[in-house]
Amino acid sequence: MSNNLNFVAKLRNSGLRPTKQRIKICEILFGSKETFHFSINDLSKIIAQKNSEKISLATIYNTVHAFLGKGYLKQIAVNSEQSYYDTNTTDHHHFYDIDKDKLIDIHDSEVEPVKINRKIPGKRIKSIEVLVKLQNT
Amino acid sequence: MSNNLNFVAKLRNSGLRPTKQRIKICEILFGSKETFHFSINDLSKIIAQKNSEKISLATIYNTVHAFLGKGYLKQIAVNSEQSYYDTNTTDHHHFYDIDKDKLIDIHDSEVEPVKINRKIPGKRIKSIEVLVKLQNT
DNA sequence: AAGTAGATTATAACTATTCTAAAGTAATAA
DNA sequence: TTATTACTTTAGAATAGTTATAATCTACTT
Ligand SMILES: [Mn+2]
Ligand SMILES: [Mn+2]
Ligand SMILES: [Zn+2]
Ligand SMILES: [Zn+2]
């Protein structure tokens, strides 16, 4: 796959050695135009299914943390049971389908800009995130 | 405390027996006009400090779950490390002070109504919550 | 090719939370 | 009242997600 050269470059540029584990995880996370949301458990299952040689859980955690640190992933707070990650690192919002335990992107353009009429001294806004919880009708 | 009679009634009306543990937790959670945010660990410490006889951690969890189920508490998704609860059960939003690990209420009137220009078939909106993350300047 | 810093791994440790089942208590019936 | 019952509390075990450890391995530099 010629794509992998991009991942190698991406990793090198980030100061991360392009190991075969990281490259495989890059393929899974960034190999498609579509972004998606996942838990470590989700990713672990995808790897197990798409990869002949296994990648240890520790490496999956390490890699996700590394990518998070480099800004290649975003962490989404949905509930306190587990961490969710997003390959879409642009500013956007989410539906959370409670019944399916699934996140759905809401593009910034689909939400009227959120205006906060209040400021906290000594603090600056790092992010504004809207979470819309959905239930079956 | 004459207030406790209210808590006894509140518990009885909810089908919960007014045990001394539950009454004490009611006092702590609902005994003041000011609402607040807490983790189980926070609550556990408050109880330890304000109560002569200890309340077991299991009971604290049980009680918080019971109150959550009755709608006397709201759960707030901030991060995936632990659950946060809110004694303010009205619709409102939050600042999250990352450095202090503290939630601050944003009253509904302090936020322009959030308009979502998208609907998901078969799903209805259960809640819309804005989380504004704050960092030190 | 050798040396080094960085990466992977199995597994132990940790933390928040839930489960279990025994003992205690509040409500209710006799 | 007292007896019965259902609910509650509790210590501690179990579980699940995550992080730490330290030995082995590998990518990069020289
Ligand atoms: Mn999942
Ligand atoms: Mn806290
Ligand atoms: Zn997203
Ligand atoms: Zn609040």
Side-chain angles (χ1 to χ4, degrees):
Chain A
M1 290 145 201
S2 55
N3 238 355
N4 286 7
L5 296 177
N6 293 331
F7 296 140
V8 170
K10 178 181 182 138
L11 289 166
R12 280 232 180 75
N13 291 338
S14 320
L16 299 171
R17 290 186 179 174
T19 64
K20 62 179 189 304
Q21 292 87 344
R22 283 174 177 163
I23 292 166
K24 171 50 78 176
I25 293 174
C26 275
E27 285 175 22
I28 291 168
L29 296 181
F30 313 119
S32 156
K33 273 131 293 288
E34 277 105 62
T35 62
F36 65 100
H37 308 96
F38 64 94
S39 66
I40 293 289
N41 186 47
D42 294 334
L43 179 55
S44 175
K45 280 181 192 147
I46 297 169
I47 291 168
Q49 161 201 334
K50 292 203 180 176
N51 213 28
S52 42
E53 58 254 74
K54 76 162 279 195
I55 298 179
S56 79
L57 189 57
T59 297
I60 298 174
Y61 273 101
N62 287 343
T63 303
V64 166
H65 288 162
F67 290 179
L68 198 61
K70 297 300 177 184
Y72 301 148
L73 290 174
K74 255 175 72 169
Q75 196 162 13
I76 312 288
V78 180
N79 60 47
S80 48
E81 279 124 46
Q82 78 229 89
S83 283
Y84 289 82
Y85 301 92
D86 197 337
T87 64
N88 178 355
T89 56
T90 66
D91 285 342
H92 66 284
H93 307 291
H94 293 96
F95 285 120
Y96 176 59
D97 184 331
I98 295 170
D99 304 291
K100 286 196 196 153
D101 185 28
K102 275 287 167 205
L103 286 163
I104 303 168
D105 276 353
I106 308 176
H107 191 271
D108 242 11
S109 66
E110 294 174 310
V111 179
E112 310 288 331
V114 180
K115 261 288 185 192
I116 313 289
N117 303 321
R118 169 129 158 254
K119 53 188 196 319
I120 306 286
K123 305 285 171 182
R124 49 175 268 273
I125 291 175
K126 192 198 174 195
S127 65
I128 298 180
E129 279 165 45
V130 179
L131 182 66
V132 181
K133 292 193 178 162
L134 298 178
Q135 271 181 333
N136 290 334
T137 331
Chain B
M1 289 145 201
S2 55
N3 238 355
N4 286 7
L5 296 176
N6 293 333
F7 295 140
V8 170
K10 177 180 184 140
L11 289 166
R12 281 232 179 76
N13 291 338
S14 320
L16 298 171
R17 289 184 180 174
T19 64
K20 64 179 188 304
Q21 291 87 344
R22 284 174 176 160
I23 292 167
K24 172 50 79 176
I25 293 174
C26 276
E27 284 174 24
I28 290 168
L29 296 181
F30 314 119
S32 155
K33 272 131 293 288
E34 278 105 61
T35 61
F36 64 101
H37 309 95
F38 64 94
S39 66
I40 293 289
N41 186 46
D42 293 334
L43 179 56
S44 174
K45 280 181 194 147
I46 297 169
I47 291 169
Q49 163 200 334
K50 290 203 181 178
N51 212 28
S52 40
E53 56 255 75
K54 77 166 277 196
I55 299 178
S56 80
L57 190 57
T59 296
I60 297 174
Y61 273 101
N62 289 344
T63 303
V64 166
H65 289 162
F67 289 178
L68 199 61
K70 297 299 177 183
Y72 302 148
L73 291 174
K74 258 176 71 170
Q75 198 162 12
I76 312 288
V78 179
N79 61 46
S80 49
E81 279 125 45
Q82 77 228 91
S83 285
Y84 288 81
Y85 301 91
D86 197 337
T87 63
N88 178 354
T89 57
T90 66
D91 286 343
H92 67 285
H93 307 292
H94 294 96
F95 286 119
Y96 177 58
D97 183 331
I98 296 170
D99 304 291
K100 285 196 198 155
D101 183 30
K102 275 288 164 202
L103 286 164
I104 302 168
D105 276 353
I106 308 177
H107 192 270
D108 243 10
S109 66
E110 294 173 310
V111 179
E112 309 288 331
V114 180
K115 261 287 185 192
I116 313 291
N117 304 320
R118 169 130 157 256
K119 54 187 193 318
I120 305 287
K123 304 286 172 184
R124 51 175 266 272
I125 290 175
K126 193 200 175 196
S127 66
I128 299 180
E129 278 164 46
V130 179
L131 183 66
V132 181
K133 291 192 181 163
L134 298 178
Q135 270 180 334
N136 290 334
T137 329

